[in-house]
Amino acid sequence: MRPNERKFDELRPITINSEFITHPEGSVLITIGGTKVICNASIEERVPPFLRGQGKGWITAEYAMLPRATEQRNIRESSRGKVSGRTMEIQRLIGRALRAVVNLDKIGERTIWVDCDVIQADGGTRTASITGAFVAVVLALGKLIEQKAIAEMPITDYLAAISVGILPTGEAVLDLEYVEDAEAKVDMNIVMTGNHEFVELQGTGEEASFSYDELQEMLELGKKGIEDIFELQKNVLGDLAELIVKKEDKS
Amino acid sequence: MRPNERKFDELRPITINSEFITHPEGSVLITIGGTKVICNASIEERVPPFLRGQGKGWITAEYAMLPRATEQRNIRESSRGKVSGRTMEIQRLIGRALRAVVNLDKIGERTIWVDCDVIQADGGTRTASITGAFVAVVLALGKLIEQKAIAEMPITDYLAAISVGILPTGEAVLDLEYVEDAEAKVDMNIVMTGNHEFVELQGTGEEASFSYDELQEMLELGKKGIEDIFELQKNVLGDLAELIVKKEDKS
Amino acid sequence: MRPNERKFDELRPITINSEFITHPEGSVLITIGGTKVICNASIEERVPPFLRGQGKGWITAEYAMLPRATEQRNIRESSRGKVSGRTMEIQRLIGRALRAVVNLDKIGERTIWVDCDVIQADGGTRTASITGAFVAVVLALGKLIEQKAIAEMPITDYLAAISVGILPTGEAVLDLEYVEDAEAKVDMNIVMTGNHEFVELQGTGEEASFSYDELQEMLELGKKGIEDIFELQKNVLGDLAELIVKKEDKS
Amino acid sequence: MRPNERKFDELRPITINSEFITHPEGSVLITIGGTKVICNASIEERVPPFLRGQGKGWITAEYAMLPRATEQRNIRESSRGKVSGRTMEIQRLIGRALRAVVNLDKIGERTIWVDCDVIQADGGTRTASITGAFVAVVLALGKLIEQKAIAEMPITDYLAAISVGILPTGEAVLDLEYVEDAEAKVDMNIVMTGNHEFVELQGTGEEASFSYDELQEMLELGKKGIEDIFELQKNVLGDLAELIVKKEDKS
Amino acid sequence: MRPNERKFDELRPITINSEFITHPEGSVLITIGGTKVICNASIEERVPPFLRGQGKGWITAEYAMLPRATEQRNIRESSRGKVSGRTMEIQRLIGRALRAVVNLDKIGERTIWVDCDVIQADGGTRTASITGAFVAVVLALGKLIEQKAIAEMPITDYLAAISVGILPTGEAVLDLEYVEDAEAKVDMNIVMTGNHEFVELQGTGEEASFSYDELQEMLELGKKGIEDIFELQKNVLGDLAELIVKKEDKS
Amino acid sequence: MRPNERKFDELRPITINSEFITHPEGSVLITIGGTKVICNASIEERVPPFLRGQGKGWITAEYAMLPRATEQRNIRESSRGKVSGRTMEIQRLIGRALRAVVNLDKIGERTIWVDCDVIQADGGTRTASITGAFVAVVLALGKLIEQKAIAEMPITDYLAAISVGILPTGEAVLDLEYVEDAEAKVDMNIVMTGNHEFVELQGTGEEASFSYDELQEMLELGKKGIEDIFELQKNVLGDLAELIVKKEDKS
């Protein structure tokens, strides 16, 4: 049995609060079970050197955890003087995922900085970050539309992410919380667009491997979970949701 | 006139929420006007090398801001690969202030790690950090008492901090918010114990200087503001407040 | 048409030379098309602190490129003073993949350091690294058997990796070389064991997404390519190949 | 009794030697008791990016100790690869203090770099640095006047600093040497201008606190000590002293 | 007796392979006994800031060892986060040596980056690097001539290097391999031009000193060894060798 | 003509002051012309890990320049966060040179830290550092004898260093000052023991080379200069000089 009598294909309670922090152009506090992430999107009126003069924009993401987001306190990366491999991997993933649904040609020479700061961690922080960051980015782009800096919403589709995995019992489950993740033999993160296409698929056997059939089972669970999340994103975005034209479903 | 028609000797609204984050032994979200700081206190069952074997504990503090805590996004210190001078100055101040009211001889060979993470900044982040950190530390020590790891509350007095300053008009004011701080000619941080003694006094002329009389005026304002904060701390601590024996007032 | 008239499901020429470098316990130069990687496996007679006293071993990997492995010279990571996110991602991948087929309980308190140094790059350096590193690790473990330091080959199955992808034309192809990789809309790395189970599956849309059907097509191509690589590994290992007991095929 | 039968309100012998090092535009060796600091002021013909094009100058300070300035050898900060929090705190203090008396609008787009290198330490190195640095800066500005690069001395007043503190006996004393500083319960650094206004006031209880009356006592001692230092600075500056127009005394 | 019955004035077998790596403008794999170094020369179409606008070029060198180039694995300098003193010393030596024979005024505003990567080490890696790097640089300059970017070969003479030393027995020997180097009491590296002039001479007593006569003996051996190397370089360069005008012999 | 009408074989005025700094076990301020270096020798009662338990000692050296030791201000290495290649080269040289004349077997398990801090630079700072450091080390060892920590002076001979070079005119000169060094075509540093043996010989052509005859000429000049320095060292050491048994002259 999963903690809190959760079913194998059941998400933990999710909320997305868009009124927590006031300075950023877009900001949400996403909560999924015991995981809480502040996702801030900031608009900078310039692009990195490699893009200058091309009339095109950029999105980049940074990810961090407060030292005591976890059960045991972690050393702060600024104190260590360097960012860990895990952090780099995650922030590269978040940036790449967002770039797949934002039309960079239509945001002008601007950089969207996405900061995902985990203030409490209980599994699934990277997928929660992607899901929350998508909303923060749409809110920030909404500000640009409001200021008439851009004409239309440069988003090609919804974007959300969830984790799936295989427990030591061999059961495939949706949305692993920390105690499950720690002992799972396979851990997979799925990032999907509104039309059910994959943006990222990262499956990892932890000193283990997984079969073709197990893969199919996990993909099915993930698709189901992400559909629920799209609904929540839509509700939080309100009027802005109308501006996102979902692509035709290919699933 | 100050923003929001505040009087020269008036604090901004303060709240201290002790149920925001669940993992740390002690944790509060302190809000003062637009400034929001998560203060977490973690107990580690060992001390730094220079204290080993002396039966004595230690308190150390770290301070950071989320990149978008401020109006303009700041570069993350972990990305820069080093902690700024400002951050170091502040975290040394927080640790020193707390050590003045915690009896380190009575906490055993333990380190209390205090993490002050500013998630939104509008002036006074370092004083809010000290005020919130004091509560988080008492909560964490309360856990140790509950676990019978220590016998009594090893706190010698209350501790709170506030900023005061002198505006370009020459007027001394209490609790500067960001727009005031940016133009103030003098900025002073006062850290006080429950019996009205100073733990830290840091007054700085910003390309300016201040007279003996201006100093007295600021000290008076600070004392008044801190008294109100002690009341709030007491309310938040509830039963634990009973365990803190205030020292005789020397003011 | 692909460069050199390669078919969509055709590997580039691969060689694995196990007599290039003499100091390491296991060492190969793997060449796949224009990609050349030196994979060295070193045995260290101790484990990292988190494993001490458990009678268990560890495998860790490092990956680097010579500055001029690429068409344009890259700045050396030692000169930058830090390892890039891409490098960290790759070396974490290599280590994780190897740990899935080495029985760490049977190598004693030893660390196997795997160094993958790309001396010439033309796409697929991370998959070539995994494929070559597997051979280097088996050679190093063979030395331990020869020295009677361990009794049997602690390898649970073969391990190899290959890249697959989807070209802008929509065609799925096997083993992308650099010019293909640079323009592919989807890039996927597949790491598989001898019994056709997945150890890692990392698929990424580059400012694009991919459908469920495209995923299946890529998995099919990958499996086919990896089977050929297993044959080559077996030939290079010679007598040592006999010591590896392949697990039952689950595909 | 204090070491060397010093009275509670007595400075240690101070000398300021302005002919020790020849390259810098302004340079002094300041000695106060066993503390020796080389203070060099260098003129750079440009300002940091945030000031460019404003016709205004800047002053910045750096502070360091030789490894064996102290009784026990310290590790060199260049070997550690980073500057300590203490060093940062001190160099920020020195720069801020000097900026309070130099009219940055009148030095043109120039940066004055102040380097305070402690070659022997016996307490009070930061206050000695400020006192010596003020003289070095005036000497350097004198060179600019001589070269007709600026028309008049852009100094608004004298500047000097001293430490005061409270010994474990409860006695307030002036100018703490190392053995006193190590055991003092309160340590305060006072930076004052020629007209007796404060530029910086930094009082710190070391695991202790101090009362309002103790504060007043320390301020009195500090003012007395600094007056003597102004006399010495005036003598060392000779003709340049005539160019500094002291502001009206506000004390 | 030396290992492999080598005579005191005998070089180990040397080969220079110019077809090992394809991307760089000039590239060789130099092998001398058990020492193998990849020397790549890259042409960059710009110079460092201190040379801009002077119509002059620059040569700079970097040196590194693979972690397992040595009998014991070394920690990677990129993992340490800094380059060792030994590495810096060697790369400064290689760059300086090459600049002595390349006419920087005749290569235009270009930087030649020389990368010497030791893939297997058995003594004499720095001298092998210089010898191989010279060939790589000539090959790269040959490419510039071929592309008509420069008119003639801007090389003023041949350049090669070798180590000599004095064994504990007092015997002077040519070309020390690792086991000899480790116990030698004197170690000297000689870099010479084709006309027998010195470019660098670095002799070091290892907790020992050496006499004037011993110096002469080592210089004699070094000259003899380097003459043989010039022959090999000439053969490898083929037609390009014709373009190098050797200066008159001054020995 | 050389500056100040110096002859080609004439040293600049040298002084060695052993009473400048009081904390270190051995300390001198060495001045040669415009070059001033503080050389401190500190005794630490332990050795680095690689020597522990062998009953043997170690000497290590660090070298630095104050930012304004030079005509133009240099950025502080602690601010850069790393030590330059030049600094590393020099400090390795100083340590190696001293180890050649100190009998490490006779100093017990102690480390002698030598700190050479250049407070004013005018050429020859590395050779002045060696010459001064030798005196500081003998003074420090004298303290150990005084404390009866060691029985006799563990110095096998005198040690001094000087620079020689060849000017653009072709003339060989002794003891180059900065303006000469900047334009010299050859620069050589010679470190010698009291019996005229070489400890280090480092000759470098600066985009130039030098003949066998030029080498002999420089060696002759260097020997002459070093003889004068030995006399000065002897005078400064006073009674301690008697304890150094010079080895038989081999020149």
Side-chain angles (χ1 to χ4, degrees), chain D residues 47-57 104-106 108-110:
Chain D
V47 287
F50 70 91
L51 280 180
R52 274 179 208 152
Q54 302 179 28
K56 200 180 157 178
L104 298 174
D105 291 326
K106 296 202 176 158
E109 292 216 350
R110 293 183 178 89

Side-chain angles (χ1 to χ4, degrees), chain F residues 35-223:
Chain F
T35 290
K36 293 183 182 189
V37 188
I38 299 176
C39 303
N40 289 336
S42 303
I43 306 285
E44 189 187 23
E45 292 289 327
R46 59 175 185 172
V47 286
F50 71 91
L51 280 181
R52 273 178 210 153
Q54 301 179 28
K56 201 181 156 178
W58 187 242
I59 296 184
T60 191
E62 292 193 349
Y63 167 98
M65 281 208 209
L66 294 202
R68 198 57 197 284
T70 47
E71 190 49 44
Q72 301 297 317
R73 186 179 183 276
N74 290 300
I75 297 176
R76 214 172 266 273
E77 294 191 330
S78 56
S79 299
R80 281 193 197 276
K82 62 179 176 181
V83 168
S84 73
R86 179 185 173 275
T87 293
M88 284 209 188
E89 214 170 275
I90 295 174
Q91 58 197 20
R92 284 159 57 89
L93 169 64
I94 300 170
R96 226 160 44 217
L98 291 167
R99 290 194 293 272
V101 294
V102 177
N103 190 333
L104 298 173
D105 291 325
K106 295 200 176 157
I107 64 170
E109 292 216 351
R110 296 184 175 89
T111 299
I112 304 178
W113 287 87
V114 173
D115 289 291
C116 298
D117 285 89
V118 179
I119 58 180
Q120 193 169 283
D122 188 18
T125 63
R126 79 186 70 187
T127 47
S129 293
I130 291 169
T131 298
F134 175 76
V135 177
V137 167
V138 175
L139 292 172
L141 291 170
K143 285 266 172 64
L144 285 182
I145 292 175
E146 216 176 273
Q147 299 162 2
K148 301 192 192 298
I150 57 175
E152 52 182 342
M153 181 59 72
I155 293 284
T156 60
D157 207 342
Y158 278 84
L159 182 86
I162 198 69
S163 77
V164 289
I166 297 184
L167 300 182
T169 58
E171 190 181 28
V173 290
L174 176 66
D175 183 23
L176 284 73
E177 56 199 84
Y178 179 71
V179 292
E180 294 175 323
D181 187 65
E183 59 169 20
K185 72 166 207 147
V186 182
D187 178 28
M188 177 171 277
N189 293 297
I190 301 175
V191 187
M192 266 193 161
T193 54
N195 68 346
H196 296 143
E197 288 212 330
F198 301 105
V199 166
E200 285 276 341
L201 199 61
Q202 297 196 337
T204 299
E206 303 286 347
E207 303 188 13
S209 55
F210 55 103
S211 68
Y212 183 84
D213 290 348
E214 287 171 324
L215 171 62
Q216 305 309 322
E217 219 178 326
M218 290 189 285
L219 295 177
E220 198 56 40
L221 281 176
K223 183 177 162 187

Side-chain angles (χ1 to χ4, degrees), chain B:
Chain B
M1 182 60 87
R2 305 180 74 184
N4 298 312
E5 310 199 352
R6 227 184 348 138
K7 297 196 197 108
F8 75 99
D9 64 349
E10 191 183 346
L11 290 178
R12 291 174 289 173
I14 311 190
T15 61
I16 298 178
N17 173 355
S18 64
E19 297 182 352
F20 188 58
I21 298 292
T22 59
H23 293 317
E25 283 71 33
S27 176
V28 307
L29 172 65
I30 182 168
T31 302
I32 176 161
T35 290
K36 293 184 181 189
V37 188
I38 299 176
C39 303
N40 289 335
S42 303
I43 306 286
E44 187 187 24
E45 293 289 326
R46 59 175 184 170
V47 286
F50 70 91
L51 280 181
R52 273 176 209 154
Q54 301 179 27
K56 198 180 159 179
W58 187 241
I59 295 184
T60 191
E62 292 193 349
Y63 167 98
M65 279 208 207
L66 294 202
R68 197 58 196 284
T70 48
E71 190 49 43
Q72 301 298 315
R73 186 179 183 276
N74 291 299
I75 298 175
R76 214 173 267 272
E77 293 190 331
S78 56
S79 300
R80 279 192 198 278
K82 61 180 178 181
V83 169
S84 73
R86 178 183 174 275
T87 293
M88 284 209 189
E89 212 169 276
I90 295 174
Q91 56 198 23
R92 284 159 56 89
L93 169 64
I94 300 170
R96 225 160 45 218
L98 292 167
R99 288 194 295 272
V101 294
V102 177
N103 189 334
L104 299 174
D105 291 326
K106 296 201 175 158
I107 65 171
E109 292 215 351
R110 295 184 176 89
T111 299
I112 305 178
W113 287 86
V114 173
D115 288 292
C116 298
D117 285 89
V118 179
I119 60 181
Q120 192 169 282
D122 188 17
T125 63
R126 78 186 71 187
T127 47
S129 294
I130 291 169
T131 298
F134 174 76
V135 177
V137 167
V138 175
L139 291 171
L141 291 169
K143 285 267 172 64
L144 284 183
I145 292 174
E146 215 177 274
Q147 299 161 3
K148 300 194 194 299
I150 56 174
E152 51 183 343
M153 181 58 73
I155 293 284
T156 60
D157 207 342
Y158 277 84
L159 182 84
I162 198 69
S163 76
V164 289
I166 298 184
L167 300 182
T169 58
E171 191 181 29
V173 291
L174 176 66
D175 183 23
L176 285 72
E177 56 199 83
Y178 179 72
V179 292
E180 294 175 322
D181 188 65
E183 59 170 19
K185 71 168 207 144
V186 182
D187 179 27
M188 177 171 276
N189 293 296
I190 301 174
V191 187
M192 266 192 160
T193 54
N195 68 346
H196 296 143
E197 289 212 330
F198 301 104
V199 167
E200 285 275 343
L201 199 61
Q202 296 196 338
T204 299
E206 303 286 348
E207 303 186 14
S209 55
F210 54 103
S211 68
Y212 184 84
D213 289 347
E214 288 171 324
L215 171 62
Q216 305 308 323
E217 219 179 326
M218 289 189 285
L219 295 178
E220 198 55 41
L221 281 175
K223 183 177 162 185
K224 179 179 173 307
I226 284 176
E227 274 167 358
D228 290 350
I229 299 174
F230 286 144
E231 284 313 300
L232 174 61
Q233 288 179 328
K234 202 170 165 180
N235 290 340
V236 174
L237 286 172
D239 291 351
L240 285 172
E242 305 300 312
L243 303 180
I244 302 173
V245 184
K246 276 183 74 172
K247 282 199 284 195
E248 185 192 351
D249 192 335
K250 293 194 185 172
S251 68

Side-chain angles (χ1 to χ4, degrees), chain A residues 92 197-198 209-210 212 216, chain C residues 89 197-198 209 212 216:
Chain A
R92 284 159 57 89
E197 287 212 331
F198 301 105
S209 56
F210 54 102
Y212 184 83
Q216 305 308 323
Chain C
E89 212 169 277
E197 288 212 331
F198 301 104
S209 55
Y212 183 84
Q216 306 307 324

